[in-house]
Every structure is written in structure tokens, then in C-alpha cells.
Amino acid sequence: MSRPYDPYSSPNPKRFYRSRTDKVISGVCAGLAERYDWDVTLVRVIAVLLLLFVAGPLIFVAYLVVAMITPYAPAGYGNFSADEDAFWRGVSDRPRATFGAIKYSFMDLEERLKNIERTVTSDEWRLRQEFKDLEKGN
């Protein structure tokens, strides 16, 4: 059974959600670690260090805001095969970066096609083909 079409959802399943399973306070650090494939303990240690030594009230307010506006991960989220996970980790979330990568791929293909066309339409290529045809005839 297929899910209903949601025009506002991203085809990229690697989105930032709060974790339902690995949470200490509200799952923000675990969700961040899961999204970027970081170690959750390291993210929590960094968050505590920032809270204690850098800008405590600012970090605390930012954490609360992120916890309030970020939804929990949907049921069944994260059940990807290793190949799917590797593919989606390679997909950029920035449209400009994705467009740039596609643009340069097409520019490279166009340059290769020009080189092939230049080679095939050259007189030297025709001459080599004629020699090959003569060799096959004997």
C-alpha cells in the first residue's frame, strides 16, 4: 500500500528530526548526531561544554527552541539498507550545490562528446578506417 502524496515533503529521507529512541532530554543531540552520522556521545559532550563554558543562556535557549520546532522522527524512520543510507548521505541538501554538480557533469559530458565527434569526423580517422577495411579484406 503506497503512502499518500505529500507535495511539501522532501524526497531525501535524511532530514533533521528529534530522536524517539535515543534521547536524554528531548532527543535533539541524538537527532543531530543521526542526521550527520556523528557519534551521539560526542555531540552531547560538545553541547554540555558549550553550555557551561561558552554562552550558557544562549545555548540553553537555542536548545529549547530547536526542541520546540523540530518534530520527532516518524515511525519507521531510519530503516534504510546500507546502500540507501550511503546514497542519501551523498545527496546535498543545498539545491545550488546539487545544481552545480549536475551542471558540471553535463559540461564534462558535452566536452567528451565534442572530442569524440572531432575524432570521428577527422580525415585521419577515415584514413585509419580505410586501412583497417583493407587489412580485413586480405
Side-chain angles (χ1 to χ4, degrees):
M1 180 175 206
S2 65
R3 291 183 286 170
Y5 174 70
D6 181 7
Y8 301 106
S9 71
S10 169
N12 185 347
K14 290 294 180 182
R15 299 178 72 185
F16 176 57
Y17 293 110
R18 290 189 294 158
S19 177
R20 288 184 180 274
T21 57
D22 189 13
K23 61 182 179 177
V24 173
I25 297 174
S26 67
V28 172
C29 290
L32 189 65
E34 184 178 297
R35 168 63 178 92
Y36 292 104
D37 200 25
W38 297 335
D39 181 34
V40 69
T41 306
L42 180 66
V43 173
R44 288 180 178 139
V45 167
I46 290 171
V48 169
L49 290 175
L50 287 173
L51 182 69
L52 294 176
F53 297 113
V54 177
L58 180 65
I59 297 299
F60 181 72
V61 169
Y63 185 89
L64 288 177
V65 168
V66 170
M68 286 189 292
I69 65 172
T70 306
Y72 278 112
Y77 174 77
N79 297 331
F80 305 112
S81 69
D83 291 337
E84 284 178 313
D85 191 53
F87 171 79
W88 285 114
R89 292 225 182 262
V91 173
S92 175
D93 292 341
R94 299 172 304 168
R96 195 169 274 182
T98 303
F99 175 73
I102 292 171
K103 176 183 171 186
Y104 287 114
S105 294
F106 276 109
M107 287 172 62
D108 180 53
L109 288 172
E110 182 178 9
E111 190 63 34
R112 290 170 58 191
L113 186 60
K114 283 180 185 178
N115 288 338
I116 291 171
E117 184 179 1
R118 201 174 305 122
T119 302
V120 170
T121 58
S122 72
D123 290 335
E124 182 182 338
W125 188 82
R126 284 191 202 118
L127 186 60
R128 286 183 185 181
Q129 282 300 110
E130 288 179 17
F131 278 126
K132 284 181 185 177
D133 291 341
L134 285 175
E135 288 175 357
K136 286 181 186 176
N138 290 335

